[in-house]
Amino acid sequence: MSNPSLLILPGDGIGAEVMVEVRRIIDWFGAKRDLAFDVSEDLVGGAAYDKHGVPLHDDTMAKAQEVDAVLLGAVGGPKYDNLDFSVKPERGLLRLRKEMDLFANLRPAQCFDALADFSSLKTDIVAGLDIMIVRELTSGVYFGEPRGIHMEDNLRVGVNTQRYTEAEIERGARAAFELAMKRDKRLCSMEKANVMESGILWRDVVTEVHADYPEVELSHMYADNGAMQLVRAPKQFDVIYTDNLFGDILSDCAAMLTGSLGMLPSASLGAPMANGRPKAMYEPVHGSAPDITGQGKANPIACVLSFAMALRYSFDKGDEATRLEQAVEKVLADGVRTGDLLGDEDTTPVSTSGMGDAILAALDASL
Ligand code: NAD
């Protein structure tokens, strides 16, 4: 049987720097765990624009459609800020998400004990936190028609439309229930069924899908209450499923429970392919960080944890994903820190490759 395939798109700025460390970790799994991948690498964002005049070449798009999973670094940077909207680096990312039809965005908020002090909330509220937000990513108010700004009675009126079909709600719900089955089997669906018809439909459809997942405990919450509960007692949640707009806000809110942007992975999943694996793209939440590019300061952990998500959700290697997450946890517990993870204490930061070295050493120690 051939190896699973992985397309790596490092992108711009620190995207390329953190991906170097992830490639070393991918190689480690090939050498030490008999888990080799057919890895190909290509350009996206400003790097693709520099070579091809577009932020994503058609050939790269075609490759992304064929592989088992895509792992992306980050795109963008000041050099590209004045480009026409149609060729901005972010358009490459959006094209990948749209053409791969990645409708479920998974944003874990996991608080490593060693970093609990980093949260803006009290340590006991976030220590041991491990929740997952599933945001519907390709429909809802960001895409609904009609939209625009027009004149009515000499006044400008701005219009956006929240629109969901039951099919759009259902496929995301299935992804969320499947995830809950792999975790603590609890799912909380968030909408505003008290004031929005799309929320009533959302609640109905999620309840219908629940019939296929009787082992999962389903609850419903209004999204505004959800926001309060996330900062009051976030550990009450396991998996949260919510729409595009609420998910945008709630996932950023949950992200900050855990401290640094340099720690946050994400996955975007689509429909299953012929081999049963979902279309998938994994990427850190952070951007290309031009302020620290080229200085060896970038924290590679968000990208490393994105690869751990790929192991779990694309390659069904949950044990190996846990091995990698535990290696990261050990490194942090040992006090190894990149600059973004330093508080007031007098510790010397390690470089991007220093963090990579430490994670590889912890992986070796796990054997
Ligand atoms: P950013 O995430 O790049 O950086 C925000 C701050 O966090 C910076 O101070 C940066 O140094 C720090 N930071 C981010 N990741 C870090 C890491 N791994 N280790 C250490 N520190 C880290 O956001 P920004 O500055 O608003 O945007 C910079 C560029 O990235 C822009 O061109 C923006 O459009 C793009 N961007 C891309 C993505 C993406 O590719 N998914 C996401 C957000 C922003």
Side-chain angles (χ1 to χ4, degrees), residues 195-212:
V195 285
M196 295 170 77
E197 283 74 8
S198 57
I200 295 172
L201 182 67
W202 185 278
R203 193 175 279 223
D204 283 352
V205 173
V206 173
T207 305
E208 285 159 21
V209 176
H210 184 212
D212 292 339

Side-chain angles (χ1 to χ4, degrees), residues 103 137 198 271 358:
F103 55 81
L137 197 60
S198 57

Side-chain angles (χ1 to χ4, degrees), residues 29 308-309 311-312 317-326:
F29 278 94
M309 289 185 85
L311 287 172
R312 180 170 287 118
K317 295 285 180 193
D319 290 353
E320 301 299 341
T322 303
R323 178 189 298 280
L324 181 51
E325 287 158 357
Q326 285 176 347

Side-chain angles (χ1 to χ4, degrees), residues 75-122:
V75 298
K79 179 177 166 192
Y80 309 104
D81 279 352
N82 295 324
L83 286 181
D84 184 72
F85 186 70
S86 63
V87 289
K88 273 193 182 296
E90 290 76 6
R91 303 302 298 173
L93 192 56
L94 294 176
R95 183 176 176 198
L96 282 161
R97 287 182 186 152
K98 182 160 185 281
E99 294 193 19
M100 291 170 76
D101 199 12
L102 303 172
F103 55 81
N105 183 226
L106 278 52
R107 291 268 300 262
Q110 193 176 6
C111 185
F112 292 94
D113 284 351
L115 298 182
D117 287 349
F118 243 78
S119 173
S120 49
L121 297 189
K122 292 193 192 95

